[in-house]
Amino acid sequence: METIDPATGRPLPSDAIQRILFIAQSVHIYNIPPLTSTKGYVAATWTADNNKRQIFTARLRVLETAIPTSIGETLKTDILLEDPKNGQLFAAAPYTAPGIVEQVLDSSRFFAVRVEGEGGRKAVLGMGFEERSEAFDFSVALQEVRKTLGLEDSAKYGGRKPVKEEKPQEKRDFSLKEGETITVSIGGRGMGRRNQKEEPSAGLGGFSLPPPPGGSLGSFLPPPPSAQEVKAQKRLSQNYEAPKPGTIEDLGFDDGEFGEFQ
């Protein structure tokens, strides 16, 4: 069975898939005056004089059509205003941009819809829901359509999707500047840079030694003798005379004669 596109009246491919995203059995359609303010539409002017501008009551459908192609599929969404009795199309609005449907400034139940007719004729019609809950569901359905078709970003950037600019990765300079050296603390205090003009730490190659265990001065070696102490020790060593060796008798030995052992 041939599938007909209700928005255009043209046949669709046999493998095309259509899905109803939203339906309301009764919405009021108005012939609204041209927009006179850049701020938006006001529904109070449509319903004045006992709804004098109302045209008729229609059935509203939001229809999604998926058409398979050689590289995937093409999605399109149409807002259809139909005769509730026989389903005959009254007007269609291809939802190709967020501005196709605009909510009025003074009510959450009324919208301005840009429809297209045969031969490309365009007009703006007023549309009003009887229940606020239906108007809310209609807005949610259009929000999902915008996400699917990528229309939200398109509206913000003049019909073109923004191109994400990749920020170049910042390069940090870790090289030593003139007059800088690296100092390392072995005692677990980390490492850092020091200018050569500063007084270097005691130790080898810029390394500072950790403090002695317990932090007591008693663990250090005794200080070297002063110059006066060195001179005093030198004088004592010069005045000292080693004892001369005495005779055998002085040492308590006999002269070789063994006395009573002879």
Side-chain angles (χ1 to χ4, degrees), residues 8-23:
T8 61
R10 299 173 183 174
L12 293 171
S14 58
D15 53 354
I17 300 175
Q18 291 184 320
R19 183 165 66 107
I20 297 176
L21 304 180
F22 176 81
I23 186 170

Side-chain angles (χ1 to χ4, degrees), residues 202-231:
L204 299 176
F207 288 83
S208 59
L209 296 176
S216 175
L217 295 177
S219 59
F220 286 106
L221 294 176
S226 63
Q228 294 179 354
E229 293 175 344
V230 173
K231 292 180 179 180

Side-chain angles (χ1 to χ4, degrees), residues 112-172:
V113 184
R114 299 179 186 180
V115 298
E116 292 184 8
E118 295 181 1
R121 293 179 301 175
K122 298 180 180 181
V124 179
L125 299 177
M127 183 177 67
F129 290 88
E130 294 181 354
E131 301 293 337
R132 296 185 188 277
S133 59
E134 283 189 325
F136 175 78
D137 294 339
F138 173 68
S139 299
V140 171
L142 294 186
Q143 183 179 9
E144 293 299 323
V145 172
R146 291 194 296 270
K147 290 181 179 180
T148 302
L149 301 181
L151 299 180
E152 290 184 338
D153 292 338
S154 177
K156 294 178 181 179
Y157 297 92
R160 294 176 295 175
K161 289 187 176 181
V163 179
K164 293 184 178 180
E165 298 182 0
E166 295 185 0
K167 294 183 179 181
Q169 199 170 25
E170 183 180 355
K171 296 182 179 180
R172 300 182 64 182

Side-chain angles (χ1 to χ4, degrees), residues 232-242:
Q233 291 179 358
K234 189 174 181 181
R235 287 196 300 268
L236 290 176
S237 61
Q238 290 177 352
N239 297 331
Y240 176 76
E241 293 184 2

Side-chain angles (χ1 to χ4, degrees), residues 30 33 43-54:
Y30 298 85
T45 60
W46 310 347
T47 59
D49 299 330
N50 197 22
N51 285 337
K52 184 177 180 180
R53 288 186 172 274
Q54 182 177 348

